[in-house]
Amino acid sequence: MPEERVNDTRPANIVDLPNEVLAKIFFAGTEIWKNIRPQGFPFPVLVSDVCSHWRLLAQSTPNLWAFVIPPLHKDEDTCLSQTSKWLERSGALLVSVVLDGRTASPSRTAKETTLLICKTLALLLEKADSRVRRLDIWAYDSFAVRNSLSGLFNTPHLQQLSLCFHDHPGIPSSFGNTERTWDDWALSLSSLTKLRVLGVITPCIPNLTSLTAHNFRMSYHDVHALFETSPHLTNLVFDGLVPIMPPIPAERTRIQANSLRSIAVKSNGMKDPSSIYIFQLLIIPNLTYLELEGTLSISSIFGSSISSSKIETLRVSHYPQFSFLSNPGKDEDIRMFQSFSSLRHLQLIQAPTMGFLSLSKSDHPVRTRTRTRSIHLPKASIFTRPTMDPLARPRQYEHGTLVTEVHLPSERQSVPWRELRGITLDALLATDLACLCEFVAHHGKLESVELSKPAMRHLSESLRRRGDKVFPIPWRVSSRDVGEDGATKDVKEWLAGLSHSFI
Protein backbone atom coordinates (compact mmCIF):
# COMPACT_ATOMS: atom_id res chain seq x y z
CA MET A 1 0.00 0.00 0.00
CA PRO A 2 1.28 3.50 -0.76
CA GLU A 3 2.50 5.45 2.21
CA GLU A 4 0.12 8.04 3.59
CA ARG A 5 1.07 11.58 2.68
CA VAL A 6 2.29 13.65 5.57
CA ASN A 7 0.19 16.78 6.14
CA ASP A 8 1.90 19.95 5.04
CA THR A 9 2.43 22.01 8.19
CA ARG A 10 3.92 25.04 6.50
CA PRO A 11 2.07 28.29 7.32
CA ALA A 12 -0.40 29.44 4.71
CA ASN A 13 0.64 32.36 2.54
CA ILE A 14 -1.45 35.48 3.02
CA VAL A 15 -2.12 35.65 -0.72
CA ASP A 16 -3.91 32.30 -0.42
CA LEU A 17 -6.44 33.63 2.11
CA PRO A 18 -10.06 33.84 0.92
CA ASN A 19 -11.29 37.30 0.00
CA GLU A 20 -13.80 37.22 2.86
CA VAL A 21 -10.98 36.76 5.40
CA LEU A 22 -8.81 39.42 3.77
CA ALA A 23 -11.71 41.88 3.81
CA LYS A 24 -12.16 41.33 7.56
CA ILE A 25 -8.44 41.91 8.12
CA PHE A 26 -8.60 45.10 6.07
CA PHE A 27 -11.61 46.30 8.07
CA ALA A 28 -9.85 45.59 11.39
CA GLY A 29 -6.84 47.60 10.22
CA THR A 30 -9.09 50.44 9.12
CA GLU A 31 -10.75 50.52 12.55
CA ILE A 32 -7.35 50.73 14.26
CA TRP A 33 -6.28 53.57 11.96
CA LYS A 34 -9.57 55.40 12.50
CA ASN A 35 -9.62 55.10 16.29
CA ILE A 36 -5.91 55.43 17.15
CA ARG A 37 -4.17 57.58 14.53
CA PRO A 38 -6.63 58.98 12.00
CA GLN A 39 -4.21 61.71 10.93
CA GLY A 40 -1.71 59.10 9.78
CA PHE A 41 -1.53 57.46 6.38
CA PRO A 42 -5.00 56.04 5.55
CA PHE A 43 -5.04 52.28 5.97
CA PRO A 44 -7.40 51.61 3.01
CA VAL A 45 -4.96 53.43 0.73
CA LEU A 46 -2.05 51.53 2.24
CA VAL A 47 -3.47 48.08 1.47
CA SER A 48 -4.60 49.25 -1.96
CA ASP A 49 -0.98 49.93 -2.91
CA VAL A 50 0.29 46.40 -2.10
CA CYS A 51 -0.84 44.59 -5.23
CA SER A 52 -3.56 44.63 -7.89
CA HIS A 53 -5.53 41.88 -6.10
CA TRP A 54 -5.64 43.80 -2.83
CA ARG A 55 -6.43 47.04 -4.63
CA LEU A 56 -9.42 45.50 -6.37
CA LEU A 57 -10.64 43.89 -3.15
CA ALA A 58 -10.17 47.02 -1.02
CA GLN A 59 -11.82 49.36 -3.49
CA SER A 60 -14.83 47.04 -3.76
CA THR A 61 -15.30 46.87 0.05
CA PRO A 62 -17.45 49.93 0.97
CA ASN A 63 -16.99 49.79 4.75
CA LEU A 64 -13.27 50.57 4.33
CA TRP A 65 -14.16 53.95 2.87
CA ALA A 66 -16.96 55.07 5.19
CA PHE A 67 -14.56 57.18 7.29
CA VAL A 68 -13.39 60.12 5.17
CA ILE A 69 -10.57 62.54 6.01
CA PRO A 70 -10.11 64.84 2.99
CA PRO A 71 -6.38 65.49 2.35
CA LEU A 72 -6.33 69.23 3.05
CA HIS A 73 -2.52 69.16 3.00
CA LYS A 74 -2.57 68.55 -0.78
CA ASP A 75 -3.45 70.95 -3.56
CA GLU A 76 -7.11 71.81 -4.13
CA ASP A 77 -7.70 69.61 -7.19
CA THR A 78 -6.12 66.54 -5.59
CA CYS A 79 -8.03 67.08 -2.35
CA LEU A 80 -11.39 67.32 -4.08
CA SER A 81 -10.64 64.44 -6.45
CA GLN A 82 -9.58 62.04 -3.70
CA THR A 83 -12.54 63.02 -1.51
CA SER A 84 -14.90 62.29 -4.40
CA LYS A 85 -13.32 58.84 -4.90
CA TRP A 86 -13.69 57.99 -1.20
CA LEU A 87 -17.37 58.92 -1.28
CA GLU A 88 -17.94 56.81 -4.40
CA ARG A 89 -16.19 53.78 -2.90
CA SER A 90 -18.29 53.99 0.27
CA GLY A 91 -21.31 52.98 -1.80
CA ALA A 92 -24.62 53.51 -0.04
CA LEU A 93 -23.17 53.40 3.50
CA LEU A 94 -23.50 56.24 5.98
CA VAL A 95 -20.22 58.16 6.17
CA SER A 96 -18.21 60.02 8.80
CA VAL A 97 -16.25 63.05 7.56
CA VAL A 98 -13.49 64.98 9.35
CA LEU A 99 -12.44 68.39 7.96
CA ASP A 100 -9.54 69.51 10.16
CA GLY A 101 -7.86 72.76 9.14
CA ARG A 102 -4.86 71.96 11.34
CA THR A 103 -3.81 69.26 8.84
CA ALA A 104 -3.61 71.71 5.94
CA SER A 105 -0.36 72.59 4.21
CA PRO A 106 1.75 75.10 6.21
CA SER A 107 2.20 77.13 3.03
CA ARG A 108 -1.54 77.72 2.78
CA THR A 109 -2.99 80.73 4.62
CA ALA A 110 -5.85 80.43 7.10
CA LYS A 111 -8.19 82.07 4.59
CA GLU A 112 -7.15 79.64 1.85
CA THR A 113 -7.57 76.68 4.19
CA THR A 114 -11.07 77.82 5.15
CA LEU A 115 -11.97 78.24 1.46
CA LEU A 116 -10.82 74.68 0.73
CA ILE A 117 -12.86 73.39 3.67
CA CYS A 118 -15.94 75.15 2.28
CA LYS A 119 -15.40 73.67 -1.20
CA THR A 120 -14.89 70.18 0.23
CA LEU A 121 -18.01 70.56 2.35
CA ALA A 122 -20.00 71.62 -0.72
CA LEU A 123 -18.75 68.52 -2.57
CA LEU A 124 -19.79 66.34 0.36
CA LEU A 125 -23.29 67.78 0.49
CA GLU A 126 -23.63 67.46 -3.28
CA LYS A 127 -22.64 63.78 -3.44
CA ALA A 128 -23.65 62.37 -0.05
CA ASP A 129 -25.88 64.81 1.82
CA SER A 130 -28.34 62.06 2.74
CA ARG A 131 -25.57 59.70 3.92
CA VAL A 132 -23.65 61.89 6.39
CA ARG A 133 -23.75 60.38 9.87
CA ARG A 134 -20.88 62.31 11.50
CA LEU A 135 -19.33 65.66 10.56
CA ASP A 136 -16.31 67.22 12.32
CA ILE A 137 -15.08 70.67 11.29
CA TRP A 138 -12.10 72.59 12.67
CA ALA A 139 -11.65 75.93 10.89
CA TYR A 140 -10.36 79.46 11.36
CA ASP A 141 -13.24 81.41 9.81
CA SER A 142 -16.58 80.59 11.42
CA PHE A 143 -18.60 82.97 9.25
CA ALA A 144 -17.55 81.41 5.92
CA VAL A 145 -18.10 77.85 7.14
CA ARG A 146 -21.48 78.60 8.73
CA ASN A 147 -22.77 79.85 5.38
CA SER A 148 -21.81 76.50 3.82
CA LEU A 149 -23.44 74.57 6.65
CA SER A 150 -26.92 75.68 5.60
CA GLY A 151 -26.91 72.69 3.24
CA LEU A 152 -27.24 70.39 6.23
CA PHE A 153 -31.01 70.83 5.91
CA ASN A 154 -30.93 67.66 3.77
CA THR A 155 -28.96 65.43 6.16
CA PRO A 156 -31.62 63.35 7.91
CA HIS A 157 -29.08 60.87 9.30
CA LEU A 158 -26.62 63.33 10.85
CA GLN A 159 -26.12 62.08 14.42
CA GLN A 160 -22.81 63.63 15.47
CA LEU A 161 -21.68 67.20 14.77
CA SER A 162 -18.46 68.91 15.89
CA LEU A 163 -17.86 72.60 15.14
CA CYS A 164 -14.61 74.16 16.36
CA PHE A 165 -13.78 77.69 15.22
CA HIS A 166 -10.59 79.60 16.05
CA ASP A 167 -11.15 82.89 14.27
CA HIS A 168 -11.64 84.67 17.61
CA PRO A 169 -9.52 82.84 20.24
CA GLY A 170 -10.83 83.23 23.74
CA ILE A 171 -14.46 83.83 22.76
CA PRO A 172 -16.51 81.28 24.73
CA SER A 173 -19.21 79.04 23.41
CA SER A 174 -22.72 79.51 24.75
CA PHE A 175 -26.41 79.21 24.14
CA GLY A 176 -27.98 82.28 22.58
CA ASN A 177 -29.95 83.94 19.81
CA THR A 178 -27.58 86.70 18.72
CA GLU A 179 -26.48 87.51 15.19
CA ARG A 180 -23.60 85.04 15.59
CA THR A 181 -25.85 82.09 16.30
CA TRP A 182 -26.76 79.39 13.82
CA ASP A 183 -29.60 79.62 11.34
CA ASP A 184 -32.77 77.57 11.57
CA TRP A 185 -31.05 74.59 9.93
CA ALA A 186 -29.46 73.65 13.27
CA LEU A 187 -32.86 72.99 14.84
CA SER A 188 -33.96 70.92 11.83
CA LEU A 189 -31.42 68.15 12.50
CA SER A 190 -33.87 65.66 13.96
CA SER A 191 -31.31 62.84 14.32
CA LEU A 192 -28.57 64.92 15.96
CA THR A 193 -27.71 63.49 19.40
CA LYS A 194 -23.98 64.28 19.86
CA LEU A 195 -22.71 67.85 19.75
CA ARG A 196 -19.26 69.41 20.23
CA VAL A 197 -18.74 73.18 20.09
CA LEU A 198 -15.82 75.58 20.39
CA GLY A 199 -16.19 79.29 19.69
CA VAL A 200 -19.85 78.81 18.71
CA ILE A 201 -23.04 80.42 19.98
CA THR A 202 -25.69 77.78 19.45
CA PRO A 203 -29.39 77.45 20.14
CA CYS A 204 -30.37 74.89 22.72
CA ILE A 205 -30.59 71.86 20.45
CA PRO A 206 -33.06 69.27 21.78
CA ASN A 207 -32.67 65.52 22.29
CA LEU A 208 -28.93 65.50 22.88
CA THR A 209 -27.32 62.48 24.52
CA SER A 210 -23.78 63.91 24.52
CA LEU A 211 -22.47 67.48 24.81
CA THR A 212 -18.79 68.45 24.58
CA ALA A 213 -18.17 72.16 25.09
CA HIS A 214 -15.01 74.27 25.29
CA ASN A 215 -15.16 77.35 27.55
CA PHE A 216 -18.93 77.04 27.57
CA ARG A 217 -20.79 79.81 29.39
CA MET A 218 -24.25 79.05 30.71
CA SER A 219 -26.80 80.95 32.72
CA TYR A 220 -29.08 79.47 35.35
CA HIS A 221 -31.90 79.34 32.81
CA ASP A 222 -29.61 77.73 30.21
CA VAL A 223 -28.96 74.82 32.55
CA HIS A 224 -32.67 74.27 33.03
CA ALA A 225 -33.28 74.53 29.28
CA LEU A 226 -30.54 71.98 28.53
CA PHE A 227 -32.00 69.27 30.73
CA GLU A 228 -35.60 70.07 29.83
CA THR A 229 -34.96 69.76 26.08
CA SER A 230 -32.51 66.83 26.42
CA PRO A 231 -33.96 64.55 29.10
CA HIS A 232 -31.74 61.67 27.93
CA LEU A 233 -28.43 63.53 28.17
CA THR A 234 -25.88 60.86 29.11
CA ASN A 235 -22.41 62.37 28.61
CA LEU A 236 -21.09 65.81 29.53
CA VAL A 237 -17.58 67.04 28.69
CA PHE A 238 -16.42 70.53 29.68
CA ASP A 239 -12.97 71.62 28.51
CA GLY A 240 -12.25 74.80 30.43
CA LEU A 241 -15.04 74.75 33.00
CA VAL A 242 -16.38 78.21 33.84
CA PRO A 243 -18.86 79.28 36.54
CA ILE A 244 -22.55 79.85 35.92
CA MET A 245 -23.25 83.41 34.79
CA PRO A 246 -25.28 85.60 37.16
CA PRO A 247 -27.92 86.21 38.19
CA ILE A 248 -28.50 83.01 40.14
CA PRO A 249 -31.60 82.83 42.35
CA ALA A 250 -30.86 82.53 46.04
CA GLU A 251 -33.70 80.05 46.39
CA ARG A 252 -33.45 77.42 43.68
CA THR A 253 -34.50 73.85 43.12
CA ARG A 254 -31.79 71.49 41.95
CA ILE A 255 -32.35 69.56 38.72
CA GLN A 256 -32.69 65.79 38.89
CA ALA A 257 -30.24 64.61 36.20
CA ASN A 258 -31.00 60.90 36.29
CA SER A 259 -29.76 60.27 32.75
CA LEU A 260 -26.17 61.43 33.28
CA ARG A 261 -23.71 58.51 33.29
CA SER A 262 -20.39 60.08 32.29
CA ILE A 263 -18.75 63.43 33.12
CA ALA A 264 -15.32 64.75 32.08
CA VAL A 265 -14.04 68.12 33.30
CA LYS A 266 -10.86 70.04 32.51
CA SER A 267 -9.96 73.18 34.41
CA ASN A 268 -6.87 75.15 35.41
CA GLY A 269 -8.10 76.16 38.82
CA MET A 270 -10.78 78.37 40.28
CA LYS A 271 -10.17 82.05 40.76
CA ASP A 272 -13.22 82.63 42.94
CA PRO A 273 -14.03 79.88 45.49
CA SER A 274 -17.54 81.29 45.89
CA SER A 275 -18.43 80.67 42.25
CA ILE A 276 -21.26 78.29 41.39
CA TYR A 277 -20.77 75.64 38.72
CA ILE A 278 -23.32 73.71 36.69
CA PHE A 279 -22.95 70.53 38.75
CA GLN A 280 -23.94 72.32 41.94
CA LEU A 281 -27.36 72.89 40.35
CA LEU A 282 -27.84 69.17 39.73
CA ILE A 283 -28.52 65.91 41.52
CA ILE A 284 -26.68 63.11 39.67
CA PRO A 285 -27.56 59.75 41.21
CA ASN A 286 -26.53 57.44 38.35
CA LEU A 287 -23.06 58.66 37.42
CA THR A 288 -20.64 55.78 36.70
CA TYR A 289 -17.65 57.51 35.01
CA LEU A 290 -15.85 60.63 36.24
CA GLU A 291 -12.77 62.19 34.63
CA LEU A 292 -10.94 65.20 36.06
CA GLU A 293 -8.00 66.98 34.44
CA GLY A 294 -6.07 69.92 35.80
CA THR A 295 -5.91 71.73 39.10
CA LEU A 296 -9.49 71.65 40.26
CA SER A 297 -11.22 70.91 43.53
CA ILE A 298 -13.88 68.24 43.19
CA SER A 299 -15.67 69.28 46.38
CA SER A 300 -15.93 72.92 45.25
CA ILE A 301 -17.13 72.06 41.72
CA PHE A 302 -19.53 69.21 42.45
CA GLY A 303 -20.64 69.87 46.01
CA SER A 304 -23.13 67.19 47.03
CA SER A 305 -24.40 66.56 43.48
CA ILE A 306 -22.67 63.15 43.18
CA SER A 307 -22.89 62.05 46.80
CA SER A 308 -25.38 59.31 45.87
CA SER A 309 -23.69 58.29 42.61
CA LYS A 310 -22.30 54.81 41.99
CA ILE A 311 -19.05 55.84 40.33
CA GLU A 312 -17.20 52.81 38.94
CA THR A 313 -14.36 54.50 37.00
CA LEU A 314 -12.37 57.52 38.19
CA ARG A 315 -9.63 59.13 36.09
CA VAL A 316 -7.52 62.00 37.45
CA SER A 317 -4.80 63.50 35.26
CA HIS A 318 -2.26 66.32 35.07
CA TYR A 319 -2.74 67.51 38.63
CA PRO A 320 0.70 68.63 39.91
CA GLN A 321 1.45 67.47 43.41
CA PHE A 322 2.46 70.99 44.46
CA SER A 323 -0.94 72.33 43.35
CA PHE A 324 -2.65 69.54 45.24
CA LEU A 325 -0.76 70.23 48.47
CA SER A 326 -1.44 73.96 48.21
CA ASN A 327 -5.17 73.39 47.75
CA PRO A 328 -6.85 74.42 51.02
CA GLY A 329 -9.68 71.97 50.36
CA LYS A 330 -7.48 68.93 49.65
CA ASP A 331 -8.60 67.05 52.77
CA GLU A 332 -12.25 67.46 51.83
CA ASP A 333 -11.42 66.40 48.26
CA ILE A 334 -9.70 63.23 49.47
CA ARG A 335 -12.65 62.36 51.70
CA MET A 336 -14.96 62.85 48.74
CA PHE A 337 -12.84 60.64 46.48
CA GLN A 338 -12.62 57.92 49.08
CA SER A 339 -16.40 58.00 49.54
CA PHE A 340 -16.85 56.41 46.11
CA SER A 341 -17.61 52.99 47.54
CA SER A 342 -18.54 51.48 44.15
CA LEU A 343 -15.23 52.38 42.50
CA ARG A 344 -13.77 49.52 40.44
CA HIS A 345 -11.21 51.24 38.19
CA LEU A 346 -8.82 54.03 39.20
CA GLN A 347 -6.59 55.85 36.71
CA LEU A 348 -3.96 58.27 38.03
CA ILE A 349 -2.10 60.02 35.20
CA GLN A 350 0.55 62.36 36.61
CA ALA A 351 -1.63 62.95 39.64
CA PRO A 352 -0.86 63.13 43.39
CA THR A 353 -0.62 59.41 44.05
CA MET A 354 0.29 59.76 47.71
CA GLY A 355 -2.88 61.73 48.34
CA PHE A 356 -5.18 59.28 46.57
CA LEU A 357 -3.70 55.99 47.73
CA SER A 358 -2.90 56.98 51.32
CA LEU A 359 -4.70 55.05 54.01
CA SER A 360 -5.92 56.37 57.34
CA LYS A 361 -3.10 57.52 59.58
CA SER A 362 -1.93 55.34 62.44
CA ASP A 363 -0.86 56.59 65.83
CA HIS A 364 2.58 54.98 65.54
CA PRO A 365 4.45 55.93 62.40
CA VAL A 366 6.82 53.45 60.84
CA ARG A 367 10.30 54.52 59.81
CA THR A 368 11.18 54.07 56.16
CA ARG A 369 13.63 55.47 53.64
CA THR A 370 13.36 57.69 50.61
CA ARG A 371 15.61 59.04 47.84
CA THR A 372 18.04 61.90 48.50
CA ARG A 373 20.16 64.17 46.33
CA SER A 374 23.39 63.17 48.12
CA ILE A 375 24.46 60.20 50.22
CA HIS A 376 27.32 62.03 51.96
CA LEU A 377 25.39 64.35 54.29
CA PRO A 378 26.21 64.09 58.00
CA LYS A 379 23.92 62.11 60.24
CA ALA A 380 22.78 65.09 62.30
CA SER A 381 21.89 67.42 59.43
CA ILE A 382 18.26 68.46 59.29
CA PHE A 383 16.18 68.34 56.12
CA THR A 384 14.53 71.76 56.08
CA ARG A 385 13.07 71.91 52.57
CA PRO A 386 9.33 71.37 52.30
CA THR A 387 8.48 67.78 51.43
CA MET A 388 6.04 66.83 48.68
CA ASP A 389 4.77 63.90 50.72
CA PRO A 390 1.73 64.95 52.82
CA LEU A 391 2.14 61.85 55.02
CA ALA A 392 5.85 62.19 55.66
CA ARG A 393 7.63 64.43 58.19
CA PRO A 394 11.37 65.13 57.70
CA ARG A 395 13.64 63.81 60.43
CA GLN A 396 17.36 63.27 59.78
CA TYR A 397 19.89 61.54 57.56
CA GLU A 398 21.36 58.18 58.50
CA HIS A 399 24.23 56.78 56.43
CA GLY A 400 23.44 59.14 53.57
CA THR A 401 19.75 58.16 53.29
CA LEU A 402 16.97 60.48 54.33
CA VAL A 403 14.87 58.84 57.05
CA THR A 404 11.24 59.89 57.18
CA GLU A 405 8.26 59.00 59.28
CA VAL A 406 5.57 57.62 57.00
CA HIS A 407 2.22 56.34 58.18
CA LEU A 408 2.16 52.88 56.64
CA PRO A 409 -0.94 50.68 56.77
CA SER A 410 -1.63 48.53 59.78
CA GLU A 411 -4.23 45.87 60.40
CA ARG A 412 -6.47 48.43 62.09
CA GLN A 413 -6.42 50.81 59.14
CA SER A 414 -9.29 50.97 56.71
CA VAL A 415 -8.54 50.52 53.01
CA PRO A 416 -10.67 52.71 50.72
CA TRP A 417 -12.50 51.34 47.69
CA ARG A 418 -12.99 47.73 48.70
CA GLU A 419 -14.63 47.06 45.32
CA LEU A 420 -11.60 48.39 43.42
CA ARG A 421 -10.29 45.85 40.92
CA GLY A 422 -7.84 47.78 38.71
CA ILE A 423 -5.34 50.64 38.94
CA THR A 424 -3.61 52.48 36.08
CA LEU A 425 -0.68 54.64 37.15
CA ASP A 426 1.55 57.03 35.23
CA ALA A 427 3.99 58.55 37.72
CA LEU A 428 7.48 60.04 37.65
CA LEU A 429 8.36 59.73 41.36
CA ALA A 430 9.65 56.57 42.99
CA THR A 431 7.76 57.49 46.16
CA ASP A 432 4.49 57.23 44.19
CA LEU A 433 5.37 53.66 43.21
CA ALA A 434 6.20 52.81 46.81
CA CYS A 435 2.81 54.15 47.86
CA LEU A 436 1.12 52.08 45.15
CA CYS A 437 2.87 48.91 46.35
CA GLU A 438 1.73 49.48 49.93
CA PHE A 439 -1.82 50.07 48.76
CA VAL A 440 -1.90 46.94 46.59
CA ALA A 441 -0.46 44.81 49.40
CA HIS A 442 -3.11 45.88 51.89
CA HIS A 443 -6.07 45.99 49.52
CA GLY A 444 -5.93 42.31 48.67
CA LYS A 445 -8.57 42.25 45.90
CA LEU A 446 -6.95 44.01 42.97
CA GLU A 447 -7.08 42.06 39.72
CA SER A 448 -4.92 44.29 37.49
CA VAL A 449 -2.20 46.91 37.81
CA GLU A 450 -1.11 48.84 34.69
CA LEU A 451 1.98 51.06 34.81
CA SER A 452 3.51 53.54 32.39
CA LYS A 453 7.09 53.04 31.17
CA PRO A 454 8.61 55.58 33.63
CA ALA A 455 6.71 53.96 36.49
CA MET A 456 7.84 50.51 35.39
CA ARG A 457 11.47 51.65 35.38
CA HIS A 458 11.14 52.85 38.97
CA LEU A 459 9.61 49.52 39.90
CA SER A 460 12.58 47.66 38.46
CA GLU A 461 15.43 49.96 39.48
CA SER A 462 14.54 52.49 42.18
CA LEU A 463 12.66 50.44 44.77
CA ARG A 464 13.65 47.82 47.30
CA ARG A 465 11.58 45.50 49.45
CA ARG A 466 11.95 44.20 52.96
CA GLY A 467 9.05 41.84 53.57
CA ASP A 468 5.90 43.75 52.72
CA LYS A 469 7.62 47.13 53.06
CA VAL A 470 8.65 48.85 49.83
CA PHE A 471 10.82 51.98 49.80
CA PRO A 472 12.84 54.10 47.34
CA ILE A 473 16.62 54.08 47.52
CA PRO A 474 19.40 56.53 46.60
CA TRP A 475 20.29 56.24 42.92
CA ARG A 476 23.96 55.45 43.66
CA VAL A 477 23.08 52.09 45.17
CA SER A 478 20.28 51.19 42.76
CA SER A 479 22.38 48.54 41.01
CA ARG A 480 22.65 46.31 44.07
CA ASP A 481 20.33 43.30 44.04
CA VAL A 482 20.49 42.90 47.83
CA GLY A 483 21.31 45.73 50.18
CA GLU A 484 23.34 45.58 53.34
CA ASP A 485 20.13 45.57 55.38
CA GLY A 486 18.68 42.58 53.51
CA ALA A 487 16.41 44.61 51.22
CA THR A 488 15.80 42.88 47.88
CA LYS A 489 15.29 44.20 44.36
CA ASP A 490 12.38 41.91 43.42
CA VAL A 491 9.63 44.51 43.84
CA LYS A 492 8.31 43.93 40.32
CA GLU A 493 7.94 40.19 40.82
CA TRP A 494 6.47 40.66 44.28
CA LEU A 495 3.86 43.14 43.00
CA ALA A 496 2.98 40.83 40.09
CA GLY A 497 2.17 38.10 42.60
CA LEU A 498 -0.33 40.35 44.38
CA SER A 499 -2.55 40.90 41.29
CA HIS A 500 -3.99 38.58 38.67
CA SER A 501 -2.88 40.82 35.81
CA PHE A 502 0.21 43.01 35.83
CA ILE A 503 1.14 45.16 32.81
Side-chain angles (χ1 to χ4, degrees), residues 264-456:
V265 178
K266 180 179 179 181
S267 176
N268 292 320
M270 299 169 294
K271 297 181 180 179
D272 185 2
S274 62
S275 299
I276 296 179
Y277 294 84
I278 177 175
F279 305 110
Q280 295 171 276
L281 305 179
L282 308 177
I283 299 176
I284 315 172
N286 299 316
L287 190 68
T288 59
Y289 178 88
L290 178 61
E291 179 177 342
L292 306 172
E293 180 178 352
T295 55
L296 50 80
S297 171
I298 183 175
S299 57
S300 299
I301 289 178
F302 286 88
S304 61
S305 63
I306 57 176
S307 59
S308 60
S309 294
K310 306 296 181 183
I311 297 176
E312 298 179 358
T313 301
L314 171 64
R315 177 185 174 92
V316 181
S317 62
H318 302 99
Y319 193 166
Q321 187 157 258
F322 176 80
S323 300
F324 172 77
L325 294 177
S326 61
N327 175 17
K330 63 179 181 297
D331 293 334
E332 185 176 355
D333 286 349
I334 290 298
R335 284 193 295 269
M336 189 168 182
F337 283 124
Q338 295 188 348
S339 70
F340 299 157
S341 58
S342 301
L343 192 67
R344 296 184 63 85
H345 304 284
L346 176 63
Q347 303 173 17
L348 299 177
I349 312 300
Q350 300 178 28
T353 306
M354 294 289 288
F356 280 88
L357 299 184
S358 62
L359 308 184
S360 57
K361 297 181 180 180
S362 63
D363 296 331
H364 304 286
V366 180
R367 289 161 64 87
T368 186
R369 300 175 185 271
T370 187
R371 182 192 297 258
T372 66
R373 292 182 180 270
S374 172
I375 62 173
H376 299 293
L377 295 177
K379 177 178 180 180
S381 64
I382 302 299
F383 184 74
T384 57
R385 296 180 181 180
T387 177
M388 300 302 290
D389 180 359
L391 302 182
R393 182 160 52 91
R395 296 289 291 175
Q396 63 183 19
Y397 285 93
E398 291 184 0
H399 307 294
T401 302
L402 174 62
V403 178
T404 60
E405 289 188 357
V406 180
H407 296 280
L408 297 181
S410 67
E411 294 298 329
R412 300 188 304 272
Q413 290 178 301
S414 60
V415 180
W417 308 313
R418 296 306 304 175
E419 299 300 319
L420 189 66
R421 293 298 177 265
I423 293 180
T424 299
L425 179 65
D426 179 7
L428 300 178
L429 300 178
T431 50
D432 289 344
L433 270 296
C435 181
L436 169 70
C437 291
E438 297 288 351
F439 182 87
V440 173
H442 288 79
H443 189 280
K445 294 184 179 180
L446 286 176
E447 298 176 354
S448 66
V449 176
E450 183 176 355
L451 302 178
S452 64
K453 290 183 178 180
M456 189 69 78

Side-chain angles (χ1 to χ4, degrees), residues 102 137-138 161-166 168-175 195-202 211-218 236-242 264 266 293:
R102 294 169 295 184
I137 298 178
W138 194 103
L161 179 62
S162 174
L163 295 178
C164 297
F165 298 132
H166 284 250
H168 298 288
I171 292 183
S173 305
S174 65
F175 291 139
L195 177 65
R196 178 188 180 192
V197 290
L198 169 61
V200 176
I201 298 179
T202 167
L211 173 62
T212 300
H214 301 257
N215 299 321
F216 199 71
R217 294 191 180 276
M218 303 178 69
L236 268 180
V237 180
F238 288 111
D239 186 351
L241 183 68
V242 295
K266 180 179 179 181
E293 180 178 352

Side-chain angles (χ1 to χ4, degrees), residues 84-159:
S84 179
K85 290 179 180 179
W86 274 68
L87 294 173
E88 291 173 1
R89 293 169 184 170
S90 64
L93 296 179
L94 298 179
V95 295
S96 299
V97 182
V98 177
L99 290 165
D100 192 341
R102 294 169 295 184
T103 65
S105 172
S107 62
R108 186 177 287 130
T109 66
K111 184 177 181 179
E112 292 172 340
T113 298
T114 302
L115 180 60
L116 181 55
I117 290 176
C118 293
K119 290 183 177 180
T120 308
L121 180 59
L123 174 67
L124 169 67
L125 296 178
E126 176 187 347
K127 289 184 171 292
D129 58 347
S130 62
R131 296 194 292 118
V132 180
R133 176 173 56 188
R134 168 188 168 188
L135 178 60
D136 294 3
I137 298 178
W138 194 103
Y140 297 98
D141 188 344
S142 60
F143 181 77
V145 175
R146 282 206 314 272
N147 289 338
S148 301
L149 287 173
S150 58
L152 292 178
F153 260 123
N154 299 318
T155 53
H157 299 292
L158 184 62
Q159 301 173 8

